[in-house]
């Protein structure tokens, strides 16, 4: 038996020793690429490198990261800002972002929280989950948040290279980047990227599949959100709720949208949190400023961010 164990060790030990630098190599190449995982890695890099020391944090989904320009906020408000909107993520992952940001960076004075109809909807899988690959090894905090979702196992966090097994496209991308560093500008700047896009037929396709959409609100996520708000209050971080413009035809597609908005209003009222709702804003009726019913294009986003800045100034919310 002892001989068998020694034989096994002689076989696996060199593999383990080799896999650690390989893991480091692939993770480093992917994290430094300007194209990997839709540019989400650029934000994670700033988080884990402790580079963020801004007055205003912007949280939310893709409706945050393509709608609110930190540069315009900084110009108008005279305060620094960073956009942490992540594509397709609900509050659970947004809360993970918040925890990781505060572990490695200074806390903000303000959080502009971009809410949408999907904020409290529970999911089984994480959209674009390859974005976590470069940062997972020996990261217990990531594991604690991501373990309830499909896509990664316990061993992905503690055994080097295991999480890259079977992901040939990811490995090819890492090798390609190591030989030819990306020459294009970073996909996101301080977390934001305006989309140069025209109106598409996403809403039409959605209506062809079903007449309307009912969003299931997860009560556990709602309670977690309240805990998050309580912690922000104790940390002296002022939270401002924002519902950014949404094309009016798309609003009608979600049958229980009014219930969701009412929930946000109730939470805001109970905690005396400002809630600026742009659902009925003139921008929400002008299709030329959207590329689909949920997302403003770059021109619309820059107009909106200027309007948001003016409203924050006029209401003295950043005093």
């Amino acid at each position: 038996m002892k001989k068998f164990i020694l034989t096994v060790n002689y076989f696996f030990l060199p593999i383990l020793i080799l896999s650690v630098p390989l893991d480091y190599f692939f993770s480093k190449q992917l994290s430094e690429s300007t194209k990997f995982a839709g540019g989400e890695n650029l934000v994670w890099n700033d988080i884990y490198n402790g580079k963020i020391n801004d007055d205003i944090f912007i949280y939310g989904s893709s409706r945050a990261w393509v709608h609110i320009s930190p540069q315009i906020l900084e110009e108008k408000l005279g305060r620094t800002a960073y956009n942490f909107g992540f594509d397709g993520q609900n509050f659970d992952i947004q809360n993970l972002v918040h925890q990781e940001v505060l572990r490695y960076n200074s806390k903000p004075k303000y959080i502009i929280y971009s809410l949408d109809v999907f904020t409290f909807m529970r999911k089984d899988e994480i959209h674009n989950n390859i974005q976590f690959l470069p940062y997972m090894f020996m990261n217990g905090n990531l594991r604690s948040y991501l373990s309830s979702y499909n896509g990664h196992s316990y061993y992905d966090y503690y055994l080097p290279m295991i999480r890259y097994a079977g992901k040939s496209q990811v490995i090819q991308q890492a090798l390609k980047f190591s030989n030819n560093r990306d020459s294009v500008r970073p996909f996101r700047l301080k977390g934001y990227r305006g989309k140069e896009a025209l109106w598409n037929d996403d809403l039409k396709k959605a209506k062809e599949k079903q007449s309307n959409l009912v969003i299931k609100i997860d009560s556990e996520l709602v309670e977690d959100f309240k805990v998050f708000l309580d912690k922000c209050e104790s940390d002296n971080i002022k939270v401002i709720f924002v519902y950014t413009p949404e094309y009016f035809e798309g609003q009608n597609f979600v049958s229980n949208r009014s219930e969701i908005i009412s929930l946000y209003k109730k939470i805001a009222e109970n905690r005396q949190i400002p809630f600026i709702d742009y659902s009925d804003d003139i921008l929400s009726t002008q299709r030329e400023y959207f590329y689909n019913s949920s997302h403003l294009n770059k021109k619309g986003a820059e107009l909106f961010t200027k309007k948001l800045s003016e409203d924050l100034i006029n209401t003295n919310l950043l005093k």
Side-chain angles (χ1 to χ4, degrees), residues 43 52 54-74 77 80-86 94 97-98 101 108 110-115 188-192 240 242 244 304-305 308 312:
V43 179
I52 301 162
D54 293 291
D55 300 323
I56 303 170
F57 288 178
I58 302 155
Y59 288 166
S61 64
S62 58
R63 279 172 46 80
W65 70 261
V66 303
H67 282 191
I68 304 175
S69 166
Q71 292 80 8
I72 293 177
L73 288 181
E74 292 177 353
L77 303 176
T80 58
Y82 197 104
N83 190 323
F84 292 98
F86 277 84
Q94 293 162 13
V97 173
H98 177 70
V101 170
Y110 308 93
I111 290 175
I112 295 176
Y113 214 111
S114 173
L115 301 166
R188 296 173 65 165
L189 183 61
K190 297 200 79 174
Y192 166 77
I240 300 167
V242 173
T244 63
F304 166 66
T305 307
L308 173 61
L312 291 173

Side-chain angles (χ1 to χ4, degrees), residues 239-302:
V239 180
I240 300 167
F241 291 171
V242 173
Y243 200 102
T244 63
E246 185 176 38
Y247 191 57
F248 74 99
E249 290 184 6
Q251 295 180 29
N252 298 331
F253 182 62
V254 179
S255 60
N256 63 329
R257 185 179 184 277
S258 59
E259 175 191 353
I260 297 170
I261 298 294
S262 295
L263 175 60
Y264 295 149
K265 289 180 178 178
K266 182 178 180 180
I267 294 173
E269 182 179 351
N270 289 342
R271 284 173 164 71
Q272 296 183 320
I273 295 173
F275 180 25
I276 312 176
D277 184 5
Y278 292 92
S279 299
D280 297 325
D281 188 84
I282 188 65
L283 272 175
S284 294
T285 67
Q286 298 174 308
R287 200 167 74 171
E288 65 267 30
Y289 295 126
F290 290 83
Y291 65 86
N292 62 28
S293 63
S294 298
H295 298 91
L296 294 164
N297 56 31
K298 184 179 180 181
K299 185 176 180 180
E302 292 181 353

Side-chain angles (χ1 to χ4, degrees), residues 212-227:
N212 58 60
L213 179 65
V214 178
I215 305 297
K216 184 178 180 180
I217 300 172
D218 187 274
S219 58
E220 186 177 343
L221 284 182
V222 175
E223 293 306 311
D224 289 345
F225 186 63
K226 293 176 181 177
V227 172

